[in-house]
Amino acid sequence: MRISSNSFYAAPLSGILNQQSSMAALNQQIASGNKLLTAADDPVAASQVMSLNDHIALSTQYQANQLSVSLVQKEEGILLDQVQTSLQSAQKLLTSVNASTDQNLKNSVAATLSGLYQQIKDTANAQDTNGNYIFAGFKSSTQPYDGASYLGDNGLRQVQISQGQTIQANDNLNSVIQAGTANDLLQVIAQTAANLQNPATSQAQLDSAHATVNSALGKLQDIQVALVGRQQQVSSQQSATQQLLAVNQDALGKLTQVDQASAIVELQMRQVSLQAAESAFASTSKLSLFNYL
Amino acid sequence: MASGIFGITLMGLNAAQSNLSTTSQNIANVNTAGYHRQSTNLTTAQPMTTGYGMVGSGVDVVGVARSYSRFLENQVVSSQGQLSSYQTYGQYASQLNALLGNQNSALSASLADFFASVQNVANDPTSIVARQALIASGNGLTGQFDNASKGLSDLQQSVDQQVQSIATQVSSYGKSIAVLNTQITVAQASGSDKVNALLDQRDQLVAEINKLVNVNVLNQTDSGYTLYIGNGLPLVQGSQANVLKAVANPADPTQSQPALQIGNGIIPLDTAQITGGQLGGLLAFRDQMLMPSQRELGKVAYTLATRVNGQSGLGFDLNGAAGTDFFSTPAVRPPVANLNNTGNGLLNLSLTDPNLLANSDYKLAYDGANYTLTRVSDGTSYSNATLAGLGAAVSAAEGFSFSLSSGTINAGDSYLIRPSQYAANGLSVLITDPSKIAAAGPSGLPGDNGNALLLASLQSQKLLANGSVTLQTAFNQLVGQNASLTNAATLGQQSYQTLTDQATQAQQSFSGVNLDEEAANLIQYQQAYQAAAKAMQIASSLFNNILSAIQ
């Protein structure tokens, strides 16, 4: 085929330019470690990357939520254990006395009971690091137990720990303390401490107080068991989220990360062909009949 | 007899000279764009009849012709036009992709960050730090929306300016072609040797125009090239050139569109017929990527802002007061009156449910009896005798409604409706006091995070496209769709680059100059010249012999 001098120069030149631009793209990939430089390079992969990015962001947020709720649960667990210890002490004390016990001993039991009363009340009024009352429901800025009535509410906060799964983040102690009722734990303990100092304390009064403390311990245990259940739920969700995150991050890596070894090999291959094209151009471009005239 | 030899050799010398000069011309123009190699056409001179038969009487130079193939030229011109269309499309597309952030979009990340901040408020509703972080995330997100939206508007302006400058350039080429048409007709009539150069120039201009916009060329022997543009309107006709202009699109005056000025009349071009050249690429980019991006971005911004505001209004802030708007109210673009309307009616538009909005523009028209709203993408239409009746029907089916704000609508008037186009413009966060964030549910108590949870749930709710996609997915789909279009443009560019290269090589193979060939020709013609000169010398010595014989 007849070829014009312009084509003779232009054809190898465009080959050289193409090699150079693909080398530039490879260089950029190797330097950034990212094989998907723009979404248009591979729209399908880019869509997957966007969706994976969203899932990863969401999982990361759920992890933060899980951590946040697990810390709250841990704190609540410690407080519930304290109430339990106090109630168990009260139980033991009430078992150790009866109507005919020596008044001195009754007085000392009364003093210890008063201390336990304060402990239980303080724990029920515990605040978190931000000064919010933990067992006050939504009324977190109000001290819930004044010894006579409950000033909080029944609000239960939920925390999102996965897509479509929320978990209760707080409890109140109403079932344990029964503030304001005939079985008001705090009032019963306070009253019992006062009664014990009175020699006329009846056995019936002591028995009733004992029953109240026993029942409170039972109710407390219900709350503790439910809390442990929720802690397990969070913990199992934590590992599920972690696994999902790992899977997604792995998939993202496969889609976006450059296989450096093969990229470098390809770069070298292109370098060789570029050199070949350049040297071919250099030698053929010297050819001209005019050189021989 | 001797005079015959002199005559013939002189003709031979002339022919060799003409060949040499053509060869020099070819060598000189080896790098001239649009140059077609020339060759001298020779023919045997009419022989003389003598008593002993026919005797040759020399060689005639018929003319200098260029190697020109209309078929090969058309191949180059049309593939070049497609190539430059894809190139222009691709350039604008990558700007747009960079603006929306490709697959690692800052906007997408800001959206996720915003909802993460809402979750953090839900986790700890009384924390002022978490609330402040939410305001900061909100500001980050609206900043991203505003940037993207402004960037798209800038691109639109840039497209409009480009349409303008292409129109100017095409008009100027058209004018030159009209002048060349006349010059060529005159030169051809007078047999001027300039004809080839003029033809080359004219063909080169046609190629240049086709890089800007696709035109059809009809070669008329008496008047030269006629160039048709768009839907068959004459850009150039003989010595007459019309002017390509960028005029306001009557349906949407904020957009420019090409039109042809013929005399005093301005005729808008059917943009569907403008498929090649930079102009074709620009218009396709505007229709396929730019406008849909504005529409979708606006839709996401509008839905986010109105949903968050709506949910905020149902909740209570840290002080127990009813929640107020978190975001500014996004702008809705009112229906745009067609420039050709005879009535002065102006319309209001309200978005009643962005979830129902189609990925399309809408056109509202009045024919004197009925108002009709048409979804442009698929032609779905709604008709009613009253504007209010149509508004109610459209509101239920398409998620927006309209009403007359002033003036009257005449028969034949029409309006373009792009409800969400500018909704992302200037979006901002209204709340500055962290305690004003409506995290609490109906109890209105500080420890209540009920409303924050509901706000956070907006992230996973399918709020768009008839309840099929979330806000994040809608945005990702936009980026994905743009990526596919860009990818297609890149592939188109590559294949038309190959086609152009092949066509150019074929055309060059026929019309291009090969220096080695010219070098060989130089020697050949030089030898022919030398041979003719030798013949002249011999004729001269023959003549001298006779002279000396009769002395």
Side-chain angles (χ1 to χ4, degrees), chain B residues 317-339:
Chain B
D317 70 11
L318 199 51
N319 305 317
T324 54
D325 282 355
F326 185 86
F327 291 112
S328 60
T329 306
V332 173
R333 191 184 186 198
V336 184
N338 194 297
L339 286 181

Side-chain angles (χ1 to χ4, degrees), chain B residues 79-391:
Chain B
S79 56
Q80 250 174 3
Q82 287 303 314
L83 174 62
S84 77
S85 166
Y86 279 114
Q87 276 171 337
T88 306
Y89 192 114
Q91 280 159 13
Y92 275 88
S94 42
Q95 283 184 50
L96 189 147
N97 291 339
L99 197 65
L100 295 183
N102 282 309
Q103 72 276 21
N104 299 317
S105 160
L107 206 159
S108 185
S110 297
L111 200 56
D113 185 48
F114 171 74
F115 282 110
S117 298
V118 177
Q119 293 270 9
N120 289 338
V121 170
N123 292 345
D124 196 354
T126 56
S127 162
I128 294 296
V129 176
R131 287 167 175 261
Q132 269 164 343
L134 174 56
I135 293 177
S137 302
N139 280 323
L141 178 58
T142 53
Q144 293 289 346
F145 269 119
D146 197 40
N147 275 347
S149 181
K150 289 212 171 81
L152 291 176
S153 299
D154 288 349
L155 267 183
Q156 194 187 340
Q157 269 182 17
S158 159
V159 167
D160 282 349
Q161 281 168 6
Q162 192 72 13
V163 169
Q164 178 77 54
S165 73
I166 289 172
T168 310
Q169 190 69 46
V170 168
S171 304
S172 133
Y173 286 152
K175 207 177 280 179
S176 305
I177 289 175
V179 170
L180 281 167
N181 272 341
T182 313
Q183 289 177 342
I184 288 167
T185 316
V186 170
Q188 273 169 339
S190 65
S192 160
D193 55 1
K194 287 214 177 79
V195 148
N196 284 333
L198 295 174
L199 289 172
D200 280 351
Q201 282 172 29
R202 188 174 63 179
D203 287 323
Q204 181 63 17
L205 284 174
V206 170
E208 293 300 331
I209 284 192
N210 264 290
K211 284 184 197 164
L212 297 174
V213 59
N214 55 316
V215 292
N216 287 325
V217 181
L218 189 67
N219 190 6
Q220 283 162 329
T221 38
D222 51 344
S223 59
Y225 282 179
T226 301
L227 267 53
Y228 296 106
I229 189 168
N231 34 328
L233 295 173
L235 177 67
V236 178
Q237 208 162 21
S239 63
Q240 184 63 44
N242 295 316
V243 179
L244 188 65
K245 297 198 127 175
V247 299
N249 180 347
D252 183 359
T254 61
Q255 274 192 11
S256 65
Q257 95 161 67
L260 198 63
Q261 182 176 6
I262 302 177
N264 289 327
I266 290 183
I267 306 167
L269 297 182
D270 178 4
T271 49
Q273 303 286 331
I274 297 186
T275 53
Q278 290 183 22
L279 190 58
L282 276 176
L283 296 177
F285 165 75
R286 186 164 75 184
D287 288 349
Q288 294 170 10
M289 284 184 79
L290 185 54
M291 307 301 295
S293 295
Q294 287 181 323
R295 190 173 60 215
E296 292 308 297
L297 187 73
K299 223 188 265 181
V300 173
Y302 184 90
T303 309
L304 171 80
T306 50
R307 289 297 192 132
V308 168
N309 286 350
Q311 190 60 52
S312 294
L314 299 177
F316 292 87
D317 70 11
L318 199 51
N319 305 317
T324 54
D325 282 355
F326 185 86
F327 291 112
S328 60
T329 306
V332 173
R333 191 184 186 198
V336 184
N338 194 297
L339 286 181
N340 301 328
N341 285 1
T342 56
N344 58 356
L346 292 177
L347 299 179
N348 285 327
L349 190 109
S350 59
L351 262 181
T352 47
D353 186 358
N355 187 6
L356 295 176
L357 280 180
N359 292 342
S360 173
D361 297 341
Y362 296 88
K363 191 183 165 188
L364 175 68
Y366 181 57
D367 63 4
N370 283 305
Y371 293 92
T372 304
L373 182 100
T374 311
R375 199 197 284 160
V376 175
S377 62
D378 58 7
T380 306
S381 67
Y382 308 83
S383 274
N384 199 293
T386 68
L387 192 63
L390 182 63

